[in-house]
Amino acid sequence: MHVGDDVEALPLPPRVSVALHRVLLEALTNSRRHARATGVRVTARSDEDGLVLEIDNDGVRDGVAAQGGHGVLGMTERMAELGGDLVAGSHGHDGWRVTARLPLGPDDDPFDTVPRGI
């Protein structure tokens, strides 16, 4: 797991922290349950578009994903509720990647773009 220093310093609101934690847990569960991965890499970083959480595994061969379940849909909905997005799919010819993105606001309030309330 690699967490960028800029991300480590971010004051994550509880709602954001919980959503990212749930995405990470679901992606790790899918890596074990469906992909039978032998290696998983988790990276949390920021870029010009916002906060990025990437979970890569080496368990999907030739872009063939397991069928069934609602995990990717649930992760996508969770990120959309916070104004972000999620992409999941084959990565290269021998892997799978889940990328969750949240837009960041100004330095003095990086999560001012996150919807408040229910």
Side-chain angles (χ1 to χ4, degrees):
M1 172 145 194
H2 174 75
V3 178
D5 292 338
D6 53 342
V7 173
E8 188 75 40
L10 283 174
L12 293 179
R15 186 172 180 194
V16 172
S17 180
V18 167
L20 292 172
H21 183 247
R22 295 295 299 267
V23 166
L24 176 60
L25 287 178
E26 182 65 30
L28 292 174
T29 298
N30 288 349
S31 293
R32 180 168 184 206
R33 183 177 295 156
H34 302 297
R36 294 187 274 294
T38 60
V40 177
R41 184 183 68 202
V42 177
T43 305
R45 59 184 171 79
S46 66
D47 63 17
E48 64 278 355
D49 295 326
L51 178 63
V52 180
L53 176 65
E54 285 182 337
I55 304 96
D56 292 305
N57 75 62
D58 64 357
V60 176
R61 303 288 182 232
D62 299 319
V64 178
Q67 299 297 316
H70 303 285
V72 172
L73 176 61
M75 290 187 289
T76 302
E77 290 173 349
R78 192 175 296 277
M79 296 309 296
E81 288 174 358
L82 296 175
D85 61 42
L86 184 129
V87 176
S90 61
H91 178 63
H93 69 283
D94 62 353
W96 187 264
R97 174 176 284 169
V98 173
T99 303
R101 291 183 180 276
L102 282 176
L104 291 177
D107 288 343
D108 61 336
D109 189 6
F111 295 99
D112 74 339
T113 60
V114 173
R116 307 241 193 283
I118 296 176

